Amino acid sequence: GYAPGLPKRAALLDQTSARLLDEAGQELRRFDGLHPWFDPASGDRVALIDLGHLAPGEYSLNAGGESRRIRVERRPYSALTGALVKGLYYQRCGCALEAAHAGPYAHAACHTAPAKLYENPEVELDASGGWHDAGDYGRYVSPAAVTVGHLLYAYRWFPKAFQDALNIPESGNGLPDVLNECRFELEWLLKMQREDGALYHKLTKKRFAPFIMPEEDKAQEYLLPPTHTATAGYAACAALASRAYRPFDAAFSARLLESAVRAWAWLEQNPRFVPYENPEDVKTGAYGDTNCLDEAFWAASELYASTGEARYLDALTALCPRVELSKFGWREVGGLGALCCLFELDGRLDKAFADGLQGRFLLAADAALETARLSGYGTALSPDGYVWGSSLPILCNGMLLIAAWKRSGKTPYLDAALNQLDYLLGLNALDLSLVTGYGERPFRFPHHRPSASDGVEDPVPGLVSGGPNARNNYPSTRERLPKGTYPAKSYLDETPSADTNEIAIYWNSPAVFVAACFDQLTRENG
């Protein structure tokens, strides 16, 4: 759907004219003299048009003998925003999903047995809980911290988008359900912290489970050794969460802040960075990284915002010049530190430092804006950016553009950000919505073990596909795609295609942020 007060874009392929009709079939306006141009990411010749002001109602767009239905609604993003958050509820681990909340996607409790320390298997610990990370049943600290970070900033910036109850077990307890869902993950993250403050890197089997339901996955789980990136990302996430939960639960807020401070202390006591690598007999996702500078910058920023202590200010000031400030993914989190500095610490930083940080941030936003302008579909991703999980950089650029709009007030940033949400919902070279259950043509076969194993025809709703991937594909994917397939079309809506069609919690979370922005705008504008 489209909203009355926001741009309403449509992509026309190889067409020079189009007609917009109302519900009665009367012509409202014509688009003539269009000039489709070559889009290098998709190979399509595209004319991107704005349908202009339209009142709520049903319309049709006719071009080249085809007709597409256009629906304008006052709040087209409310159900979507809620579904993207509830998609994380369906990823819950260590508990049953009851039919009262999960409907046909209910299942018994899973992964409740104690985990063993990989380095000392005689030691067993309770590490149950949290969200399954992606299409598999592993749980990983760095992606978890970033996911919660995205969601908490979405809530802090766009609280009106989270007023609706989502029918999860905690609904109605006085907290917005997005905070209820984040708390489920935070409680697990607290279990992943050692007494000395370090965070175990991940909790997985030695190999991915076959395509079975989670409660059928009985293989032994292991806690893999702590890492700097997991510990720093958690310190940032927990410090941010301590502020978000303070108005609702002072004790939980204090617990989070204390654990964040302990995590930072471990980083100070262990300054030599050691990158994570899987042991030879562990084949699950590595989530490795080449440095910890960006995670430490984010952590120092959030800890300074939460404590006001000078040592964190000194650290964030020293780290900032060494960090890219426009990235919001699980590996590169400098953008989250920039959000903290620009908005949570506004007025509390040295003016010259803050101005320099803002200048770098807006320069990156301008680059994303230009990338979107050069794309036939308005997508803020260059042709060589379609890698595993290409939805992530597209949605993270949506976050970047929204933040630039909030900082500058310039509407071109906001309009381009909307185009990234439009991409997710079908304004793309695939002509597919990349959210299960939403849009007129949603993808249907995610690489997601419960969706493939539960006996339900439709996949679990509210999950975001990783999307087209033209680099480092599986051999089976290369065989299935025609030779010469363009990057933005390098996609298979097939369960085995993890390289193009897996889901992940940290793809849902930036989608929540972007959708919540436009949901709040439509709520405010009636």
Side-chain angles (χ1 to χ4, degrees), residues 294 297 320-327 332-335 338 360 364:
D294 49 327
F297 168 63
C320 184
R322 305 171 66 188
V323 171
E324 191 168 358
L325 299 177
S326 60
K327 303 297 184 182
E332 296 173 299
V333 302
R360 291 173 59 198

Side-chain angles (χ1 to χ4, degrees), residues 239-409:
L240 168 60
S242 73
R243 301 196 304 278
Y245 288 89
R246 194 171 295 152
F248 302 98
D249 189 332
F252 184 57
S253 169
R255 183 181 168 208
L256 288 165
L257 185 55
E258 184 274 335
S259 71
V261 170
R262 283 197 295 117
W264 181 266
W266 184 87
L267 293 168
E268 289 185 320
Q269 294 158 12
N270 296 271
R272 187 176 72 86
F273 174 73
V274 179
Y276 176 82
E277 292 184 7
N278 269 338
E280 285 189 10
D281 61 341
V282 175
K283 306 300 182 184
T284 53
Y287 285 108
D289 205 339
T290 56
N291 71 75
C292 189
L293 297 175
D294 49 327
E295 288 86 358
F297 168 63
W298 181 29
S301 302
E302 300 291 359
L303 280 161
Y304 181 57
S306 294
T307 68
E309 293 184 16
R311 58 179 174 143
Y312 301 121
L313 175 60
D314 292 343
L316 78 88
T317 304
L319 288 163
C320 184
R322 305 171 66 188
V323 171
E324 191 168 358
L325 299 177
S326 60
K327 303 297 184 182
F328 301 86
W330 66 264
R331 188 193 297 270
E332 296 173 299
V333 302
L336 288 164
L339 294 190
C340 184
C341 290
L342 288 171
F343 296 92
E344 305 275 317
L345 293 172
D346 191 19
R348 294 170 58 184
L349 300 174
D350 174 78
K351 186 177 185 304
F353 172 82
D355 287 348
L357 190 157
Q358 176 172 304
R360 291 173 59 198
F361 190 83
L362 293 179
L363 196 64
D366 288 339
L369 190 64
E370 179 66 6
T371 300
R373 188 188 69 79
L374 294 173
S375 163
Y377 289 89
T379 308
L381 189 67
S382 59
D384 62 358
Y386 287 87
V387 298
W388 191 310
S390 60
S391 294
L392 178 64
I394 292 169
L395 293 166
C396 287
N397 275 333
M399 293 180 63
L400 171 66
L401 291 161
I402 288 168
W405 163 70
K406 282 180 69 71
R407 197 67 185 171
S408 70

Side-chain angles (χ1 to χ4, degrees), residues 163-180:
Q163 294 175 346
D164 300 339
L166 302 181
N167 185 26
I168 61 176
E170 300 82 4
S171 293
N173 67 354
L175 262 70
D177 275 346
V178 66
L179 294 188
N180 282 321

Side-chain angles (χ1 to χ4, degrees), residues 48-95:
L48 196 62
I49 63 171
D50 190 329
L51 303 178
H53 175 76
L54 294 172
E58 299 276 347
Y59 304 86
S60 62
L61 184 65
N62 293 4
E66 287 192 53
S67 179
R68 284 295 179 89
R69 183 166 64 105
I70 302 292
R71 185 172 63 252
V72 179
E73 302 176 7
R74 296 198 182 279
R75 283 174 46 187
Y77 307 116
S78 295
L80 172 72
T81 304
L84 290 166
V85 176
K86 189 163 181 178
L88 299 169
Y89 160 76
Y90 293 113
Q91 293 292 96
R92 286 190 184 190
C93 183
C95 65

